[in-house]
Amino acid sequence: MKRVLFFLLIALSLMAGCASNKAFVEGKRMVAEGKVEEGFARLEQAVKESPGNAEYKTYLYGQRERIINQWLAQASTAQLNGQFDEAEAIYSRILKIDPNNPRANAGLDGLARERQHKKQLDEAQALLQKGSLDEAQTLVGQVLADNPRQREAKILQRKLNEARPREPLASPQLKSALARPITLEFRDAALKAVFEVISRTAGINFVFDKDVRPDLKATIFVRNTTIEDAIQLLLVTNQLDRRILNDNTIMVYPNNPAKQKDYQELVIKNFYLANAEAKDTANLLRALLKTRDVFVDDKRNLLVIRDTPQAVMLAEKLIASQDLAEPEAILEVEVLEVNRARLENLGFEWPSQIGYGLLQGGSKTSIINDSGVVSETTTPGSTVAPGVIDLRAEPSRLTTFIANPALLLNLRAQDTNANVLANPRIRVKNHEKAKIHIGDKVPVFTSTAVVNAGIAQSVSYLDVGVKLEVQPSIGLDDDVTIDVGLEVSSIVKQVDFGDSIAYQIGSRAADTVLRLRDGETQVLAGLIQDEDRSSITKIPGLGDLPLLGRLFSSNNDNRSKTEIVLLITPRIVHNLILPDRKTSEFRAGTETSIGGMGAVGGGGVAPMAPPPAPAPAAPAAPGGAPTMVPVPGIVPYQPAPVTPPATPPAAPATPPATPAR
């Protein structure tokens, strides 16, 4: 009974071992076929059935770790690119084969936060477009508080900061209502008297530099214009400038370089450039804005300028229109070399020489003549007749005989059809060169004789294979102009020069310029090398006989044809995003005052726009009538009052009942 139980246990263990081995083999096959989840389930079953098998455990844990790391990298890339559904599917697959994987669980939690952040940022972007900056700032702040390194939130934060109305860089600001309308009509009046009128109307104090001439005259006729525009017109027409001292005081001084240095306030601005080169941008500012105080930090790609507030505002717009990301494209290249060859070697190969052998004595030895033909053999130790070669003295001649028999029949035909394929994908920036080399670096040894030093050897390397050089130019209409240089080379034969080695290189090259649409494929073909070689080895006279001559000749025909085919497809990753008109088109002031007269009034920088229609006469209503303040000694022009019609007249207006005479 004990023996029966013993043998039964052995049989059961053998059956379990066979079952676990089957599960292990099936699991490996499924993993190799891409059925990862099912394969790991079978492998785990094999490990459970054979817990002591180290091979099963090693394979299971090693393969699982490798695949999990690969999937984690794919999920992280998808998450960074905003492909949340794809990342979630990958994390779920990881948890199926490793339910307690901490990185996969953390990745799913991060996906939930990323989805919430994406929703908040989309809402903030919509609010920014509507102009609700405070609400958008609240949402962006919540995202940055949860993840300070969130890239889209940081970009949107910068947009919000730029969209907010900034206070001018000059610290003092007037608090008076300079936008109120005023009417001034003076002819050859004293300039200071005109400023006195404005001072009484706007409540602004004017302080004049000692070098302002007291005899300056002003002629101005403006109606319903703002006080700020009127002040600017008076300053410009009299070669004067101003500086705001406090909230209700303006300093007026002559507009010359010496006074500008004394009164003009300067500001410093740092520009961290993301795409443009700091040196090129500095040259741009020097050329257009005449900025002299510019510092360039190439290491941080930083630009620091010191200039007037108006010039700094212009510099911001210039840099915003220049600091744009370079376009990029992925070039999908396929190089195909089609090689077709046919070799035929048919016929009898006869010896090219006939020799003789002599016998000497009764002994025999192996004797071979100069043409490699055995004549006779004699016994070793006997003498050999003159002109006969003794194999004991030159045994290598026997090898020559074996390798070069007297008669050969060539029956050889060979067909070759080869394809050499290279399919690289390369990402390249606009106007930058990219080089691809697929092949070998062949060493070339060179010996050089040096006086009093002997022989010096050096080695250099020669590139052989497929060499491709491309340079794309990406247009705004998604057209890509590609400068293509293709060279396919191979070693034809090796040439020895004493101690030096050289190679004969066969090469085919093509240089061209293509213009393709995004995603369009162009085929370059026709680089064909066609060879047809025939050679006949025959016995003179006998080989020329009709029909029978084939028995005394050997034909060698070699035909080969090689063609190079290039397929290239550009795919634009991102193109240049042009700035809007407000950023790329703006007023820049005058030649002598950069930004000083960007628009009539305030010296601000305003975008170009068509001139507004003339404003209608202000109605005579309290608080809205144009202000006219009399000045002693000055008689301003008083126009006759005009009563505006109730509706736009289609005919001359009806005169009043009691016209003035």
Side-chain angles (χ1 to χ4, degrees):
M1 186 65 180
K2 293 182 179 180
R3 291 183 178 180
V4 174
L5 292 175
F6 176 75
F7 286 113
L8 183 59
L9 291 174
I10 293 177
L12 291 175
S13 62
L14 290 175
M15 293 175 62
C18 294
S20 62
N21 183 66
K22 180 180 179 182
F24 178 73
V25 172
E26 290 180 354
K28 289 179 62 176
R29 178 179 56 81
M30 290 180 177
V31 170
E33 293 175 353
K35 303 176 182 178
V36 180
E37 292 85 350
E38 297 85 347
F40 276 112
R42 295 292 290 166
L43 290 174
E44 289 177 355
Q45 178 184 353
V47 171
K48 289 180 181 179
E49 294 175 353
S50 301
N53 194 314
E55 179 186 0
Y56 294 175
K57 291 183 179 180
T58 302
Y59 183 83
L60 171 63
Y61 298 146
Q63 289 295 318
R64 185 164 61 186
E65 185 69 18
R66 181 185 65 83
I67 292 178
I68 286 177
N69 290 333
Q70 180 180 353
W71 285 357
L72 286 173
Q74 296 175 359
S76 178
T77 302
Q79 187 173 354
L80 289 175
N81 294 332
Q83 301 170 351
F84 299 137
D85 294 338
E86 181 179 351
E88 183 179 6
I90 296 175
Y91 284 134
S92 300
R93 293 188 69 184
I94 294 174
L95 293 178
K96 287 182 180 179
I97 62 177
D98 187 7
N100 298 323
N101 189 279
R103 294 179 62 184
N105 289 319
L108 288 177
D109 296 338
L111 278 177
R113 291 194 303 270
E114 288 287 340
R115 283 195 172 98
Q116 180 63 26
H117 293 166
K118 186 68 169 57
K119 181 179 179 181
Q120 291 175 320
L121 292 176
D122 290 342
E123 295 178 2
Q125 183 68 37
L127 292 172
L128 173 61
Q129 295 177 356
K130 294 179 181 179
S132 303
L133 303 182
D134 294 334
E135 298 178 9
Q137 180 62 51
T138 301
L139 293 174
V140 173
Q142 294 174 359
V143 175
L144 291 176
D146 193 11
N147 183 9
R149 302 182 62 182
Q150 221 284 345
R151 181 174 178 271
E152 295 183 3
K154 293 167 67 176
I155 294 175
L156 192 55
Q157 178 69 51
R158 288 198 296 268
K159 292 182 179 180
L160 287 171
N161 293 335
E162 295 175 358
R164 289 185 179 279
R166 298 179 305 169
E167 296 183 358
L169 295 175
S171 52
Q173 296 297 317
L174 292 173
K175 65 179 182 180
S176 303
L178 297 183
R180 290 176 53 189
I182 189 173
T183 297
L184 296 175
E185 298 182 4
F186 296 98
R187 180 180 291 110
D188 294 332
L191 179 64
K192 293 184 179 180
V194 180
F195 275 112
E196 183 180 354
V197 173
I198 298 175
S199 176
R200 294 179 185 179
T201 304
I204 299 175
N205 302 322
F206 291 97
V207 180
F208 295 89
D209 184 86
K210 64 182 181 61
D211 293 331
V212 176
R213 291 164 43 201
D215 59 343
L216 287 176
K217 301 293 184 179
T219 299
I220 183 171
F221 296 93
V222 293
R223 297 180 59 85
N224 300 321
T225 190
T226 62
I227 297 175
E228 185 176 7
D229 290 348
I231 294 174
Q232 188 67 23
L233 287 172
L234 289 172
L235 295 175
V236 170
T237 55
N238 290 276
Q239 289 78 47
L240 300 174
D241 206 342
R242 67 174 182 174
R243 178 181 177 182
I244 301 175
L245 301 180
N246 54 41
D247 57 358
N248 64 346
T249 304
I250 295 177
M251 167 67 74
V252 179
Y253 59 90
N255 187 4
N256 55 57
K259 292 298 180 180
Q260 291 288 359
K261 291 182 179 179
D262 294 336
Y263 290 108
Q264 197 170 50
E265 187 173 358
L266 302 178
V267 295
I268 294 177
K269 177 75 174 181
N270 297 324
F271 294 96
Y272 289 91
L273 306 180
N275 303 287
E277 293 290 338
K279 289 183 178 179
D280 298 337
T281 306
N283 295 333
L284 172 68
L285 298 182
R286 291 190 184 101
L288 297 182
L289 303 183
K290 307 299 186 292
T291 302
R292 292 174 296 177
D293 299 334
V294 181
F295 173 77
V296 177
D297 187 349
D298 291 329
K299 184 177 180 180
R300 297 177 178 84
N301 207 29
L302 168 66
L303 192 68
V304 184
I305 68 172
R306 188 183 71 157
D307 211 323
T308 63
Q310 292 79 11
V312 170
M313 294 174 66
L314 286 174
E316 290 180 355
K317 290 183 176 293
L318 285 174
I319 292 175
S321 62
Q322 187 201 25
D323 190 20
L324 303 176
E326 284 284 346
E328 286 186 279
I330 293 179
L331 301 181
E332 299 179 358
V333 182
E334 186 173 359
V335 182
L336 184 66
E337 182 178 3
V338 182
N339 186 8
R340 298 182 179 88
R342 181 176 181 83
L343 174 65
E344 290 184 355
N345 191 1
L346 304 175
F348 292 93
E349 185 173 346
W350 294 83
S352 59
Q353 295 177 342
I354 298 177
Y356 63 94
L358 298 178
L359 297 178
Q360 181 69 25
S363 303
K364 292 185 179 181
T365 185
S366 298
I367 300 174
I368 187 170
N369 61 12
D370 289 339
S371 62
V373 179
V374 170
S375 60
E376 188 57 76
T377 59
T378 59
T379 304
S382 62
T383 60
V384 182
V388 179
I389 299 172
D390 190 352
L391 292 183
R392 292 173 298 175
E394 298 186 40
S396 61
R397 302 300 292 272
L398 181 60
T399 305
T400 304
F401 165 73
I402 296 174
N404 187 20
L407 179 63
L408 291 176
L409 176 60
N410 294 322
L411 297 174
R412 182 185 178 190
Q414 180 179 353
D415 292 336
T416 303
N417 190 356
N419 294 331
V420 180
L421 178 65
N423 188 15
R425 292 165 52 93
I426 185 169
R427 181 167 176 169
V428 59
K429 290 176 63 176
N430 192 27
H431 301 300
E432 296 291 338
K433 288 185 178 181
K435 297 181 180 180
I436 303 171
H437 176 222
I438 303 174
D440 301 319
K441 287 184 175 290
V442 180
V444 179
F445 297 93
T446 305
S447 299
T448 306
V450 182
V451 179
N452 300 328
I455 303 298
Q457 289 189 343
S458 61
V459 59
S460 59
Y461 292 91
L462 183 65
D463 292 334
V464 177
V466 178
K467 290 193 292 185
L468 180 67
E469 183 174 332
V470 292
Q471 182 177 3
S473 298
I474 304 174
L476 297 178
D477 53 355
D478 289 341
D479 280 356
V480 183
T481 302
I482 309 174
D483 190 353
V484 181
L486 173 66
E487 181 182 0
V488 180
S489 57
S490 60
I491 299 177
V492 177
K493 66 179 180 178
Q494 177 178 320
V495 182
D496 297 330
F497 295 97
D499 296 334
S500 301
I501 299 177
Y503 297 95
Q504 180 180 343
I505 304 297
S507 176
R508 278 163 291 171
D511 293 323
T512 185
V513 179
L514 307 175
R515 184 177 178 89
L516 304 176
R517 298 285 297 176
D518 181 22
E520 181 182 358
T521 301
Q522 178 63 45
V523 180
L524 297 179
L527 296 175
I528 301 174
Q529 181 180 0
D530 196 350
E531 296 182 1
D532 190 353
R533 297 181 181 180
S534 298
S535 62
I536 301 176
T537 303
K538 58 186 177 180
I539 298 177
L542 297 179
D544 296 330
L545 295 176
L547 299 178
L548 294 178
R550 300 286 296 182
L551 299 177
F552 302 96
S553 63
S554 176
N555 297 342
N556 191 347
D557 298 331
N558 189 357
R559 300 181 181 89
S560 63
K561 183 177 182 180
T562 304
E563 181 179 5
I564 301 297
V565 180
L566 171 67
L567 294 88
I568 185 168
T569 305
R571 302 192 184 276
I572 298 177
V573 179
H574 60 82
N575 206 342
L576 188 66
I577 301 177
L578 295 180
D580 55 10
R581 184 177 179 182
K582 183 179 180 181
T583 304
S584 60
E585 184 179 351
F586 46 86
R587 298 185 184 274
T590 63
E591 184 69 23
T592 57
S593 178
I594 301 297
M597 282 292 292
V600 178
V605 181
M608 297 177 63
T627 304
M628 296 183 62
V629 180
V631 180
I634 301 177
V635 180
Y637 171 74
Q638 298 288 347
V642 179
T643 303
T647 57
T654 305
T658 56
R661 295 290 184 184

